């Protein structure tokens, strides 16, 4: 059953709102498909009187993405996600990776009860996100919440040595979970299961004063030319200046639900890209 969301004032814990729609993979390896989708979005914004500042010459970023978990998927069972993003320049992988630890749950208090904060000496960004997904039917939405610690530049050579204890050294909060400390840690789906992500910024959406969202499309591929799924997303920061802008937040919600109807033929069934990798719901 879908819940009709009426935004009054956002919870003070929320730092980001992210709206996500999965896109069918067929054709996403062709630039013409992305151009057509972008043009459809421009027309839709004009029709709905939402300002959209389109980026004509944005560059596509490439990254390798993979997830760590125990063989028994103890992280998933505890709503924990440990993700690595390696930036790429053509075929070359950078020496530093982005590492994110998050607890993602259906209830806000569940997500906030886990502390993803890394060791004090490690520089990080803490984000508590409201993630808005498509509900069971077109034109609906549901929320999940994620409590994130994002490490922007971890030397690849210093990543986890395939043991849970090595991850605990980065993130002390993991040691508090009821998981055998001697458990091995592995890349979900096997060591070669690295997703190639192509991410293209599309532009900025304006929903009201101080509520402007970055819009982009990310395509996950098994390899170049073999897309698994796409994700059209827009997101914005929530701060003290715009938290009470209920009208603008509600306008973003309405836009998200109407956009589903506009893109009905392109939408893929599912919840998140991560859930597809695990092969199980988030």
């Amino acid at each position: 059953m879908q819940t009709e969301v009426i935004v009054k004032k956002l919870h003070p814990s929320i730092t980001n709102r992210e709206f996500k729609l999965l896109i069918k993979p067929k054709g996403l390896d062709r630039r013409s498909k992305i151009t057509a989708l972008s043009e459809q979005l421009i027309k839709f914004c004009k029709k709905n009187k939402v300002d959209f500042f389109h980026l004509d010459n944005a560059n596509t970023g490439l990254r390798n993405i993979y997830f760590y978990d125990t063989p028994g998927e103890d992280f998933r069972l505890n709503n924990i996600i440990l993700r690595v993003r390696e930036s790429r320049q053509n075929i070359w992988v950078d020496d530093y990776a982005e590492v994110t630890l998050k607890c993602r749950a259906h209830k806000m208090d569940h997500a906030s009860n886990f502390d993803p904060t890394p060791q004090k000496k490690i520089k990080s960004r803490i984000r508590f996100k409201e993630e808005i997904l498509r509900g069971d039917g077109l034109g609906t939405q549901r929320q999940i919440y994620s409590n994130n610690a994002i490490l922007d530049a971890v030397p690849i050579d210093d990543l986890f040595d395939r043991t849970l204890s090595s991850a605990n050294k980065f993130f002390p909060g993991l040691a508090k979970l009821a998981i055998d400390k001697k458990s091995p840690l592995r890349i979900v789906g096997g060591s070669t299961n690295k997703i190639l992500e192509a991410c293209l910024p599309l532009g900025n959406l304006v929903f009201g004063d101080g509520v402007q969202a970055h819009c982009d499309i990310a395509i996950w591929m098994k390899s170049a030319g073999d897309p698994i799924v796409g994700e059209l997303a827009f997101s914005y920061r929530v701060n003290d200046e715009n938290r009470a802008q209920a009208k603008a937040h509600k306008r973003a919600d309405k836009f998200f639900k109407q956009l589903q109807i506009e893109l009905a033929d392109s939408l893929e069934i599912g919840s998140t890209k991560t859930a597809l990798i695990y092969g199980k719901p988030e």
Side-chain angles (χ1 to χ4, degrees):
M1 178 180 292
Q2 304 306 315
T3 301
E4 183 69 21
V5 176
I6 300 175
V7 177
K8 294 181 179 178
K9 185 177 180 179
L10 298 178
H11 192 280
S13 298
I14 294 174
T15 64
N16 297 70
R17 301 192 81 208
E18 296 185 346
F19 299 77
K20 302 176 178 180
L21 287 174
L22 294 183
I23 303 295
K24 292 176 181 176
K26 185 177 181 180
L28 290 182
D29 55 332
R30 302 198 308 272
R31 185 59 185 252
S32 60
K33 175 73 174 181
I34 306 303
T35 299
L37 189 64
S38 181
E39 291 175 347
Q40 188 177 4
L41 182 61
I42 292 172
K43 292 179 181 177
F44 176 75
C45 288
K46 288 181 179 178
K47 178 181 176 183
N48 288 274
K49 298 180 179 179
V50 172
D51 289 334
F52 180 45
F53 296 94
H54 184 253
L55 298 172
D56 292 322
N57 299 306
N59 293 321
T60 302
L62 291 176
R63 298 186 288 198
N64 294 333
I65 296 179
Y66 48 98
F67 301 84
Y68 280 100
D69 207 334
T70 68
E73 298 185 358
D74 291 287
F75 284 178
R76 183 186 65 80
L77 295 173
N78 283 277
N79 300 106
I80 300 298
I81 295 171
L82 180 56
R83 182 189 67 205
V84 176
R85 279 176 167 162
E86 300 172 340
S87 293
R88 298 181 54 153
Q89 302 293 331
N90 298 319
I91 64 170
W92 309 112
V93 177
D94 289 350
D95 292 328
Y96 295 85
E98 176 196 279
V99 176
T100 299
L101 178 71
K102 67 172 76 176
C103 178
R104 185 154 66 186
H106 294 277
K107 294 185 178 180
M108 183 180 293
D109 57 352
H110 187 163
S112 62
N113 283 341
F114 176 77
D115 183 5
T117 307
Q119 290 186 55
K120 290 182 179 179
K121 67 178 183 180
I122 300 177
K123 188 176 181 181
S124 67
R125 294 179 285 128
I126 303 297
R127 299 286 185 268
F128 194 92
K129 300 180 179 180
E130 179 189 16
E131 301 183 23
I132 298 98
L133 311 174
R134 173 188 172 186
D136 290 337
L138 279 177
T140 63
Q141 69 182 50
R142 64 187 178 91
Q143 271 82 356
I144 55 177
Y145 301 90
S146 64
N147 194 9
N148 301 252
I150 305 161
L151 285 53
D152 289 314
V154 178
I156 287 181
D157 292 337
D158 290 346
L159 283 178
F160 323 113
D161 62 7
R162 308 300 172 90
T163 63
L164 179 58
S165 59
S166 65
N168 291 350
K169 292 177 182 176
F170 277 83
F171 303 104
L174 289 173
K176 298 179 180 179
L177 299 174
I179 303 176
D180 184 351
K181 304 300 185 292
K182 297 180 181 178
S183 297
L185 207 60
R186 62 168 178 74
I187 293 176
V188 175
S191 59
T192 60
N193 191 33
K194 294 186 176 182
I195 302 300
L196 176 62
E197 179 189 67
C199 186
L200 177 65
L202 297 180
N204 295 315
L205 296 158
V206 181
F207 297 110
D209 291 339
V211 182
Q212 298 186 19
H214 301 288
C215 180
D216 54 47
I217 184 166
I219 300 142
W220 279 21
M221 295 176 273
K222 293 179 181 176
S223 59
D226 190 9
I228 303 169
V229 72
E231 182 184 80
L232 180 67
F234 59 93
S235 62
Y236 56 86
R237 290 292 305 276
V238 178
N239 51 40
D240 292 341
E241 285 71 34
N242 68 16
R243 189 174 304 279
Q245 297 290 336
K247 185 176 180 180
H249 299 310
K250 191 171 182 178
R251 194 179 185 202
D253 290 332
K254 182 179 179 181
F255 179 87
F256 178 69
K257 288 186 277 192
Q258 291 178 329
L259 183 60
Q260 295 170 42
I261 298 170
E262 171 68 22
L263 301 178
D265 293 339
S266 300
L267 296 184
E268 178 69 296
I269 296 173
S271 53
T272 64
K273 301 192 300 300
T274 305
L276 289 176
I277 297 305
Y278 271 97
K280 302 178 179 70
E282 85 282 341

